[in-house]
Amino acid sequence: MTLKFVHILGVPFVHTNQKDFIATLEERIDKQEKTFVVTANPEIVMHSLKDQPYKKLLAKATYITADGIGIVKAAAIIGEPLPERVSGYDVMLDLLESANKTHARVFFLGASEAVLQATVKKAKTDYPGIKVVGSQNGFFDWNDHQLPQQIQNMKPDIVFVALGFPRQEQWIGTHIDQFDKGVFIGIGGSFDVFSGSVKRAPEMWQKMNLEWFYRLVKQPSRWKRMLVLPKFAATVIGRKAFRKG
């Protein structure tokens, strides 16, 4: 399957929808092709503009999906619309469903120990066909080489990395060359939602593209992070105007 990409402020987003993207990942898992997936929102894109080492890590990604309605709207602004949002959480659920059917090997990395264990327990209950080959909470020694070696030895088909931005992209990008196979995907706080520790926005809010606002209402401390949204929009519009000038 040939995929095209839409570049937003230098970040190449894969032009795909949820269904087709999962089919692409399933095919790569079947062929044992190593894959690095970044689920990027405006915050990640803006961070890449000021952090060159981070931008170089993003360049190693096989696919970067539009995890955030802001990315979808930005694509429309520059005249290269994306089909839809492809979020890390939804990709995680669909990959678990696929893994359940194929008995794929799965590794969970990230979150607190309590959230991690709740995630693993729920995954085994809801998807009894998967093979959980290992797990590790997000509080580990970054310089300890035993973790990537452990994952390499386990040979998982899918590694869900819930270390949050930018740590998850840094960890995958730093170690991806050490692995022979597997889909490695950064999924932010998905373990918190999956385990029930944090409630996801109701479907109505999701359909109105207001999931970000729901999270802000529930977690007011996120307001500083939300300030990146108008900056992102202004930068996209400014770059478009500059190209036309």
Side-chain angles (χ1 to χ4, degrees):
M1 183 183 300
T2 302
L3 297 174
K4 69 175 185 177
F5 297 84
V6 175
H7 289 77
I8 299 176
L9 301 182
V11 177
F13 285 87
V14 60
H15 186 282
T16 189
N17 57 36
Q18 178 79 16
K19 181 180 178 181
D20 289 346
F21 187 58
I22 294 301
T24 296
L25 295 184
E26 288 175 335
E27 182 178 350
R28 292 184 68 88
I29 291 171
D30 185 57
K31 294 180 178 179
Q32 298 192 359
E33 294 178 329
K34 185 167 55 179
T35 308
F36 174 10
V37 180
V38 175
T39 57
N41 57 18
E43 189 175 8
I44 284 179
V45 174
M46 293 301 286
H47 187 76
S48 73
L49 293 178
K50 63 183 181 181
D51 188 329
Q52 285 304 307
Y54 182 76
K55 189 169 186 176
K56 288 182 179 180
L57 289 176
L58 291 186
K60 297 178 70 173
T62 314
Y63 304 114
I64 300 177
T65 72
D67 186 350
I69 193 61
I71 300 297
V72 176
K73 291 186 177 297
I77 288 172
I78 66 174
E80 299 182 57
L82 290 164
E84 64 181 5
R85 178 188 177 201
V86 180
S87 77
Y89 185 72
D90 292 326
V91 171
M92 173 184 168
L93 294 184
D94 283 352
L95 283 180
L96 283 171
E97 185 65 41
S98 176
N100 188 53
K101 297 174 183 177
T102 61
H103 307 294
R105 302 168 64 83
V106 181
F107 191 99
F108 294 90
L109 171 61
S112 67
E113 183 63 24
V115 169
L116 176 66
Q117 291 305 317
T119 295
V120 171
K121 181 179 179 180
K122 180 174 173 59
K124 289 180 176 179
T125 300
D126 293 356
Y127 307 95
I130 69 172
K131 298 178 181 177
V132 178
V133 297
S135 63
Q136 167 62 50
N137 65 46
F139 301 90
F140 57 88
D141 183 353
W142 197 267
N143 298 313
D144 187 350
H145 299 297
Q146 291 185 358
L147 177 57
Q149 185 58 55
Q150 175 192 359
I151 295 175
Q152 168 64 6
N153 293 341
M154 295 294 184
K155 299 190 182 303
D157 298 298
I158 306 167
V159 180
F160 294 114
V161 185
L163 296 175
F165 144 81
R167 291 181 73 237
Q168 59 196 20
E169 292 81 29
Q170 292 169 337
W171 190 88
I172 299 173
T174 299
H175 297 289
I176 191 68
D177 294 334
Q178 299 175 235
F179 306 116
D180 298 325
K181 53 172 279 191
V183 169
F184 292 76
I185 176 170
I187 53 172
S190 294
F191 289 179
D192 296 287
V193 178
F194 183 75
S195 66
S197 301
V198 172
K199 185 178 179 181
R200 192 181 190 189
E203 189 174 352
M204 180 183 70
W205 289 66
Q206 295 177 44
K207 288 182 177 179
M208 292 191 298
N209 297 318
L210 290 174
E211 191 168 5
W212 64 272
F213 185 67
Y214 179 86
R215 294 180 67 187
L216 179 60
V217 171
K218 293 296 184 179
Q219 297 174 283
S221 60
R222 294 175 59 88
W223 71 269
K224 288 185 178 180
R225 294 181 60 180
M226 293 301 177
L227 292 177
V228 76
L229 296 177
K231 292 180 181 178
F232 171 73
T235 305
V236 170
I237 294 170
R239 291 282 181 92
K240 180 186 179 183
F242 179 79
R243 287 201 302 269
K244 286 185 175 181

